[in-house]
Amino acid sequence: MELVEGRATVENVDEFVARLGAIGDEHDCAIQAFDARYIVSRTHLERALELADRARERGEAVARERAVEILLYAAGRRQIEQALELGVGEGEQPVVVLVAGENGRAERAAANDVEALLDAEDTLDSFDTERVGEFFDIDERELVATDAGLAALVCERVALLDVEK
């Protein structure tokens, strides 16, 4: 898995996603872009990828496309429409793009192509605490009741998606 961080100005979401899809097709990789304000850590996306791939191997995937299944797990949601909030929207925004292929060379090549679409910027560890808490339904009461931080609770929500099926 490669993660590409940066800032994107998206004028048309469908066109942006289509460009990422074309890069993925060219390099035989799944590519999923996220609004970085929702992504709490690299572990968040690693776990989403791991669980999405496991669901596909077991024939339990909800989505036909691997990239969409990864999005569902990252969002901790079974409904694609709800999970799309974690994706990119129109306008300028911090993004992190997950690139996953079967071969490291192809992943790196795809990641290089994705980098060309973004303005380089570190975005992965700058999530919006309020936005994340609201999306994942984690309030102050839950945070106080545990030693785990917000990032750990989000990763728990990702893992719990399998239980909720």
Side-chain angles (χ1 to χ4, degrees), residues 5-7 36 94-95 119-126:
E5 301 174 66
R7 185 160 285 283
V95 298
D119 294 327
E121 182 178 317
D122 292 335
T123 59
L124 188 56
D125 293 320
S126 57

Side-chain angles (χ1 to χ4, degrees), residues 1 7 23 28 35 47 52 70 101 120 127 140 156 158 160:
M1 174 182 87
R7 185 160 285 283
I23 292 169
D28 195 26
D35 181 330
R47 187 72 173 139
I70 294 165
F127 62 90
E140 190 63 32
E156 180 180 277
V158 170
L160 285 174

Side-chain angles (χ1 to χ4, degrees), residues 114-164:
V114 170
E115 285 172 357
L117 301 177
L118 308 177
D119 294 327
E121 182 178 317
D122 292 335
T123 59
L124 188 56
D125 293 320
S126 57
F127 62 90
D128 181 323
T129 303
E130 187 175 318
R131 184 181 299 259
V132 169
E134 186 176 305
F135 182 82
F136 288 98
D137 195 27
I138 300 169
D139 60 18
E140 190 63 32
R141 197 176 72 194
E142 184 175 359
L143 286 166
V144 170
T146 179
D147 291 337
L150 183 60
L153 292 172
V154 167
C155 288
E156 180 180 277
R157 297 292 200 279
V158 170
L160 285 174
L161 188 60
D162 269 343
V163 175
E164 295 174 358

Side-chain angles (χ1 to χ4, degrees), residues 20-142:
L20 293 176
I23 292 169
D25 290 345
E26 179 182 341
H27 298 286
D28 195 26
C29 292
I31 299 179
Q32 182 61 56
F34 298 93
D35 181 330
R37 296 171 295 182
Y38 289 96
I39 305 303
V40 298
S41 66
R42 180 179 184 84
T43 302
H44 178 181
L45 295 179
E46 287 172 339
R47 187 72 173 139
L49 174 60
E50 175 188 335
L51 293 170
D53 285 347
R54 185 174 74 182
R56 292 175 63 78
E57 288 167 10
R58 293 178 174 177
E60 299 171 351
V62 171
R64 281 178 266 141
E65 294 181 28
R66 184 180 183 207
V68 176
E69 192 73 17
I70 294 165
L71 173 67
L72 291 172
Y73 274 93
R77 305 279 199 290
R78 298 299 328 141
Q79 299 297 319
I80 294 170
E81 201 61 35
Q82 293 173 353
L84 285 173
E85 187 172 333
L86 258 66
V88 296
E90 288 187 1
E92 184 182 334
Q93 65 218 272
V95 298
V96 59
V97 181
L98 182 149
V99 178
E102 298 302 316
N103 133 359
R105 188 172 293 153
E107 279 182 347
R108 185 67 259 168
N112 286 339
D113 289 351
V114 170
E115 285 172 357
L117 301 177
L118 308 177
D119 294 327
E121 182 178 317
D122 292 335
T123 59
L124 188 56
D125 293 320
S126 57
F127 62 90
D128 181 323
T129 303
E130 187 175 318
R131 184 181 299 259
V132 169
E134 186 176 305
F135 182 82
F136 288 98
D137 195 27
I138 300 169
D139 60 18
E140 190 63 32
R141 197 176 72 194
E142 184 175 359

